Amino acid sequence: MSSARAEPSGLTGTSSATGEVDAWAELEESGLARDGHLTPEWARALAGATSAPVTITVAARHDRMVFDTDVALLRGLGLTVTQRSLVGDEPSETLHEPVVELVAFSPEQVWQAVRRVLPPEETVRADPRPTPPSQRRTLGADEVAREGVLAGGDAQVSLLVSIHTPQGTAPFGLHRWVLDGDDLYEVRGTDPEVVAVQPGAIAHELVYLVTGAYSAAATHLESTVL
């Protein structure tokens, strides 16, 4: 990222430090760099990622495996950066994989890009489909199922969609879901409301939020120009 922004502190292909030489070798092997420099396409993409109009933060847990993914949606290009971790019984026992995965995709494929880092459960990965009001059910405080959901269930997914404005980055929408057995629940608020939803709810909400975030970002840009 430093190299993409042409910052002096960034890695350089001619550095004598072994770690930096190895890092550039890996970038070149991956096709992100050539002759000790980022390719023009990747330099533009990475330089713009920190100020992308719309970003998504995804945290997905399945059993003890956690995927943390940052998504940047640029004009004509989407980027995901994902790191995997294995959660231990204590925070100090959590192991972070010492590599990250960087994926470029078409912004129209944002759901497919997010889907691949979600728990491998069809209920979670189902394609967009809204849950009709008649099929949404709020669990009562005394229901046993509610306790299992609040305890974390078998898998969890949280999405934070943000927009970039002239004043900085602002949150646009935050949602969390828990899979308990075969059932999917949306968990709302700090005094949690637990609502049973249908497969496809996660994808539907993601597409809905991203569409709204683009509109909000465009509105901010237009007001600034005017």
Side-chain angles (χ1 to χ4, degrees):
M1 295 297 291
S2 296
S3 180
R5 293 191 291 261
E7 296 176 357
S9 59
L11 298 177
T12 59
T14 58
S15 170
S16 59
T18 301
E20 294 187 3
V21 171
D22 291 344
W24 276 101
E26 183 178 352
L27 291 175
E28 294 198 12
E29 183 180 351
S30 301
L32 275 69
R34 186 169 52 248
D35 299 326
H37 300 280
L38 293 172
T39 63
E41 297 82 2
W42 278 106
R44 287 193 297 269
L46 294 173
T50 54
S51 58
V54 177
T55 59
I56 309 166
T57 303
V58 184
R61 178 191 65 78
H62 187 246
D63 196 15
R64 290 181 177 266
M65 184 64 71
V66 174
F67 285 69
D68 290 306
T69 302
D70 293 317
V71 184
L73 296 177
L74 305 160
R75 179 175 297 180
L77 177 68
L79 293 173
T80 67
V81 181
T82 301
Q83 183 178 42
R84 297 188 303 181
S85 303
L86 187 64
V87 177
D89 294 327
E90 300 293 335
S92 61
E93 297 175 350
T94 297
L95 301 176
H96 301 288
E97 195 171 31
V99 295
V100 296
E101 179 193 61
L102 178 64
V103 176
F105 62 95
S106 170
E108 291 79 10
Q109 302 296 315
V110 61
W111 163 241
Q112 287 78 2
V114 170
R115 181 183 187 273
R116 63 188 300 277
V117 300
L118 299 185
E121 300 285 349
E122 184 53 37
T123 302
V124 172
R125 293 188 169 194
D127 287 334
R129 188 177 68 184
T131 301
S134 61
Q135 295 183 22
R136 301 177 69 92
R137 187 176 73 85
T138 300
L139 300 188
D142 58 344
E143 293 192 52
V144 175
R146 188 175 189 276
E147 297 179 6
V149 173
L150 296 181
D154 302 305
Q156 294 188 55
V157 175
S158 66
L159 298 174
L160 170 62
V161 177
S162 303
I163 61 174
H164 185 78
T165 72
Q167 292 73 39
T169 301
F172 183 79
L174 172 65
H175 285 266
R176 181 163 72 98
W177 295 267
V178 174
L179 180 69
D180 191 28
D182 295 326
D183 299 318
L184 183 65
Y185 300 90
E186 182 179 352
V187 182
R188 303 173 174 177
T190 53
D191 183 14
E193 180 182 34
V194 178
V195 181
V197 293
Q198 296 297 306
I202 297 177
H204 175 78
E205 194 63 34
L206 172 68
V207 173
Y208 177 81
L209 287 175
V210 168
T211 302
Y214 269 120
S215 298
T219 299
H220 278 285
L221 179 60
E222 290 172 0
S223 65
T224 301
V225 173
L226 296 175

